[in-house]
Amino acid sequence: MSLPDIGDLLAAAEHIAVLTGAGMSAESGVPTFRDVQDGLWAKYDPMTLATEEAYAEAPDLVWAWYLRRAQMIRDVRPNAGHLALAELAEFKRVSVITQNVDDLHERAGSTVLSHVHGGLFAYRCFDCAAPWDEELEVPETIPERVAPPKCADCGGWIRPGIVWFGEMLPPKAFQDAVDASSSCDLMLVVGTSGIVQPAGSLPFAALERGKPVIEINPEESQLTAYVTHSLRGTAAEVLPQLVKLARGEG
Ligand code: BV8
Ligand code: ZN
């Protein structure tokens, strides 16, 4: 399928759902989840750190790792891919479903329908779930271990509002994602390996209705074999081209 053909599909679509993964933020300088490990935490597997067990066992190590992640996100900017999706929403109905815990879609001007894996911008008590919205103190150099703040109500450790492996996705966020995937005319899948479930199955809610699902990824993913078309390219390169075509330009 050629790019102009995809442009025609986009131009004809009324409601476009967009599922984004870590690759969406790669060109902003946020490492993808698979290679997020740097510096002091390089020796840890993110899959084991991003769990309730790890936090219960070593809250200071996991808290420091999320401080580092929050610092990485604070110091970068949305890329041309984020901006293109915000522009698309100026003339199309767009439902952004992101697996990313950063706020780069929002900072590019998109309204995000669903953060299916939560976000690094909301914190709560690990024990009583009371929301914690104090100013997050991110020291310039983050030691390997930093004791998390304590809950004012019960003295429990504060945790990031992120969905850890083994945890349920926020029911409303996931339902919204399923609804959009089940009612869109077309789905774009950008920068996800499709490995993590249940988010990785959302494209099938469009495919099984015979709606086109277009993947944008420089590499093959677990979804490539199933999508209508897989564009070998990056978010920041391809999305601006698609938006031009959706406008009937270029
Ligand atoms: C659940 C927050 C159960 C954390 C994340 C065994 C034990 C427990 C659970 C499981 C298990 N086996 C399977 C499971 C289910 C598990 C799962 O899917 N595991 C996988 C590894 C098999 N899922 C869960 O645990 C989920 N919960 O199942 O609960 C349950 C059910 C009922 C009741 C109670 C409980 C929770 C999953 C959420 C985990 N949290 N994030 C944090 O960030 O610290 S997921 C985390 O990984 C990221 O958020 C991200 O979403 C995900 C990584 O996926 P991607 O986004 O795709 O990133 P990745 O690096 O993989 O790929 C990047 C892609 O981008 C690549 O394809 C690359 O080619 C491409 N790319 C690179 N550059 C670019 C690009 N594309 C475009 N442009 C570029 N420039
Ligand atoms: Zn508490």
Side-chain angles (χ1 to χ4, degrees):
M1 186 183 275
S2 70
L3 219 49
D5 294 344
I6 293 170
D8 293 345
L9 288 174
L10 275 166
E14 304 281 313
H15 176 197
I16 299 169
V18 188
L19 174 66
T20 67
M24 183 77 227
S25 300
E27 283 153 295
S28 294
V30 181
T32 67
F33 194 71
R34 297 280 167 278
D35 48 32
V36 71
Q37 295 316 71
D38 78 334
L40 293 169
W41 300 276
K43 55 181 173 288
Y44 300 105
D45 170 3
M47 293 288 298
T48 49
L49 276 187
T51 61
E52 204 173 346
E53 295 71 29
Y55 196 81
E57 198 188 302
D60 52 352
L61 176 70
V62 177
W63 180 258
W65 181 51
Y66 279 105
L67 279 181
R68 173 73 188 112
R69 303 243 333 256
Q71 184 182 57
M72 279 196 250
I73 290 163
R74 185 196 62 190
D75 295 349
V76 299
R77 299 273 165 279
N79 62 56
H82 293 107
L83 295 169
L85 289 179
E87 185 190 332
L88 183 64
E90 288 167 10
F91 60 100
K92 287 285 176 188
R93 183 184 162 201
V94 175
S95 296
V96 176
I97 302 159
T98 188
Q99 300 174 81
N100 298 336
V101 296
D102 64 50
D103 58 352
L104 291 173
H105 281 301
E106 288 88 344
R107 284 162 55 191
S110 284
T111 304
V112 171
L113 172 76
S114 171
H115 275 274
V116 288
H117 294 157
L120 254 181
F121 28 79
Y123 295 84
R124 64 175 188 268
C125 174
F126 187 66
D127 293 337
C128 75
W132 182 82
D133 42 22
E134 318 243 325
E135 184 63 24
L136 185 71
E137 280 161 40
V138 183
E140 263 330 291
T141 41
I142 303 169
E144 182 174 305
R145 291 169 186 269
V146 176
K150 291 248 174 118
C151 168
D153 298 357
C154 77
W157 297 118
I158 296 304
R159 63 164 284 178
I162 264 187
V163 181
W164 282 325
F165 287 98
E167 289 190 317
M168 271 185 77
L169 273 55
K172 178 168 180 341
F174 189 59
Q175 191 53 56
D176 288 348
V178 169
D179 293 349
S181 307
S182 310
S183 59
C184 65
D185 307 312
L186 180 145
M187 180 183 266
L188 295 176
V189 178
V190 190
T192 183
S193 58
I195 293 171
V196 175
Q197 295 301 338
S201 300
L202 288 167
F204 295 101
L207 287 167
E208 60 202 22
R209 291 183 297 120
K211 301 299 177 190
V213 174
I214 313 292
E215 177 183 43
I216 297 161
N217 197 322
E219 292 163 25
E220 283 219 349
S221 75
Q222 294 216 343
L223 294 164
T224 303
Y226 305 97
V227 298
T228 314
H229 191 77
S230 188
L231 290 167
R232 281 288 153 277
T234 72
E237 285 160 7
V238 174
L239 283 169
Q241 292 176 48
L242 292 187
V243 172
K244 270 211 192 79
L245 288 167
R247 277 190 191 282
E249 296 157 10

